[in-house]
Amino acid sequence: TDSDVDISYSGVLYKAATGASASAVESTSDLSTDNLDVLGLLSGPDITEADLEAGVWDGAQVRVSQVNVSDLTQGEMILRVGQFGEVSRSKGSWQVEIRGLMNSLQRTITRTYLPTCDADLGDSRCGVNLAGVTATGTVTSVTDNRQFVASALVGAADVYAGGRLTWTSGQNAGRQMEVRSNTGSGEIALFLPMPSNVLVGDQFTVVQGCNKTPDHCKVKFNNFVNFRGFPHVPGVDKTLRYGGT
C-alpha cells in the first residue's frame, strides 16, 4: 500500500514497508492495453531481487484498489486488474509495468502459417515421449553461473541445444533455463546465467532440443507425421514478386 501504515483488509495484510508507489493510469478509448507502472524498494522478504531475476513474479495477477483507511467498512473501489509485464531493477528498487485486461486481446490465439513447427517438443500436438529424450546430470566443475561441466553427460555435440534444463537440487532447485550449446564431453552453456550460484554436485535433468525444422523432426525424433509447420507455403517475397522475376 502507498499508505504510511499497514492496512489489513478482507483477510489480506497490505504492507507499507515496501515503499510502493504507482504512476498515473493510462487508458484509451480503443482496445489498446491500459498501462500502469509501479515502483517499489527491494527492502523486504516479499519481493526479492533473486526472485525477480528468476522470473518468479512473471505474469503475476494484480488488483489495484482504493479504500478509506478511516472506515474500511465502506469497501474497496477496484481501479485496475491486470498482470505483471516488463520488470526492471535498479539501485535497490524494482519497477514493473502492470498490463490491463485488454492485453489479452493483443495476443495471437490462432495458428499462423510458419515454415517451422509451432508445437512444443513433447506436448499433445507433438507426441514425442520426453522420457526417451531426457537425461540427468551432476555438475562436476563450474566456470560461472552460465557454463559448467557434467562429465557423465556424454553424447553428440549440441544434442541438447535449444532444450530445457531443470535443476533438481542446489540453490537453483526448481528453476529452468534453455540450453545454448553442449559438447560431447559434458560441457553445457545456458542462454542466460542462473540467478543463484551453480555449485559442484548440483543435479539437473535436461531435455534434448528441437529446432522445429522438418529435417530435425524427421531425422532426430522420427516424428515427421506430427510436424506442424508449413515449409512449402510461399512467403511474402514470393507473394509480392511481380511478373518476369
Side-chain angles (χ1 to χ4, degrees):
T1 177
D2 58 6
S3 170
D4 56 357
V5 294
D6 292 349
I7 297 176
S8 181
Y9 178 80
S10 190
V12 178
L13 177 63
Y14 297 85
K15 297 183 179 181
T18 57
S21 61
S23 69
V25 179
E26 178 184 350
S27 299
T28 61
S29 59
D30 56 20
L31 295 180
S32 58
T33 303
D34 297 339
N35 288 324
L36 165 68
D37 291 332
V38 175
L39 177 68
L41 300 177
L42 294 168
S43 58
D46 301 304
I47 298 180
T48 65
E49 185 173 9
D51 284 346
L52 289 173
E53 188 173 346
V56 172
W57 294 98
D58 290 355
Q61 300 299 307
V62 178
R63 186 181 82 249
V64 182
S65 58
Q66 189 176 46
V67 296
N68 181 356
V69 295
S70 300
D71 186 1
L72 296 179
T73 62
Q74 293 181 358
E76 65 177 333
M77 178 184 296
I78 298 178
L79 304 179
R80 274 295 176 274
V81 175
Q83 62 183 18
F84 270 27
E86 182 178 353
V87 180
S88 59
R89 296 171 289 110
S90 176
K91 299 179 180 179
S93 65
W94 55 269
Q95 183 170 346
V96 61
E97 177 189 31
I98 308 299
R99 296 173 179 170
L101 296 178
M102 288 298 180
N103 184 59
S104 298
L105 300 179
Q106 309 299 319
R107 301 174 181 173
T108 301
I109 59 175
T110 59
R111 293 193 66 191
T112 57
Y113 286 102
L114 298 171
T116 55
C117 181
D118 61 357
D120 292 327
L121 183 67
D123 68 11
S124 59
R125 299 172 61 232
C126 169
V128 169
N129 184 2
L130 292 183
V133 294
T134 301
T136 60
T138 302
V139 176
T140 54
S141 66
V142 178
T143 301
D144 52 37
N145 287 355
R146 194 178 72 88
Q147 301 182 52
F148 52 89
V149 176
S151 56
L153 190 68
V154 296
D158 287 336
V159 69
Y160 299 107
R164 183 179 66 255
L165 183 145
T166 303
W167 296 97
T168 56
S169 69
Q171 297 180 14
N172 294 293
R175 292 170 176 165
Q176 299 181 342
M177 185 58 66
E178 291 183 331
V179 178
R180 184 180 182 87
S181 63
N182 74 279
T183 67
S185 58
E187 298 179 19
I188 295 179
L190 304 177
F191 269 98
L192 294 172
M194 298 305 302
S196 301
N197 291 331
V198 176
L199 305 175
V200 172
D202 288 355
Q203 297 178 325
F204 61 85
T205 61
V206 59
V207 180
Q208 293 183 18
C210 177
N211 65 9
K212 301 184 181 295
T213 62
D215 290 342
H216 217 214
C217 185
K218 182 188 301 182
V219 176
K220 185 174 182 179
F221 299 104
N222 190 27
N223 192 47
F224 188 67
V225 68
N226 289 323
F227 181 73
R228 303 292 177 172
F230 303 89
H232 305 299
V233 172
V236 176
D237 292 341
K238 183 74 171 180
T239 304
L240 299 180
R241 191 174 68 178
Y242 53 87
T245 62

